[in-house]
Amino acid sequence: KAGVTQTPRYLIKTRGQQVTLSCSPISGHRSVSWYQQTPGQGLQFLFEYFSETQRNKGNFPGRFSGRQFSNSRSEMNVSTLELGDSALYLCASSLVTGPGETQYFGPGTRLLVL
Amino acid sequence: QKEVEQNSGPLSVPEGAIASLNCTYSDRVSQSFFWYRQYSGKSPELIMSIYSNGDKEDGRFTAQLNKASQYVSLLIRDSQPSDSATYLCAVMDSSYKLIFGSGTRLLVRP
């Protein structure tokens, strides 16, 4: 079974631009979570989608948004990029949202904001 | 603020030794706990999950959970240089979000 895929793998943008990242979950998985990983803050939860609905949201500004499509694929968007948005953005999928559900991570998108 | 605490390391052990990685968490209602391994420049990969008090073994890995003490650990027996990585402890909170610790860097010396 194919794993979680993320595109693009690497991205360079300049301040003020916007970016859209894509995530395709493992086949059959309906829950997709997004995380930001930086050396200073570690892995931080952005948001989670299940059946096209945002179920959870972390403590990030409104510039960070996402959505999920009927085939469970998800996108996240960051508008008005700031230097501090440079990070590894990770997507993780699980079968459903619930206690004990294991999340499997994709390879990540490394975003550099200049 | 729910927290997951890990010693950042590096934890250095010789090849063949037992590596012991520890994690404490603040949310008493947490029920699901995970250990992920992350190699430099790669994404986290799941090693083990544990939900009940006690030990859970999988090959060279043993996870230990003590909910009363809010403590979870990972033991790696017969450590190999290929085990050198950052180990992330993750705790699922009551809204099913994963809260990650900052990770412990493990270095296995040949």
Side-chain angles (χ1 to χ4, degrees), chain A residues 35 37 43 45 48 56-59 88 90 97-108 110, chain B residues 1 31-32 34 36 38 41-46 49 51 88 92 95-102:
Chain A
Y35 297 86
Q37 188 174 34
L43 257 169
F45 174 80
E48 185 232 341
N56 268 310
K57 190 176 191 310
N59 296 323
L88 179 66
L90 292 159
T97 300
E101 278 297 325
T102 299
Q103 295 184 18
Y104 298 92
F105 283 86
R110 192 165 293 280
Chain B
Q1 178 74 8
Q31 296 293 320
S32 307
F34 305 85
Y36 287 85
Q38 186 173 27
K42 302 295 185 182
S43 63
E45 58 177 324
L46 179 74
S49 59
Y51 313 116
L88 298 164
M92 184 170 280
S95 59
Y96 313 126
K97 298 197 305 289
L98 282 184
I99 310 297
F100 282 86
S102 57

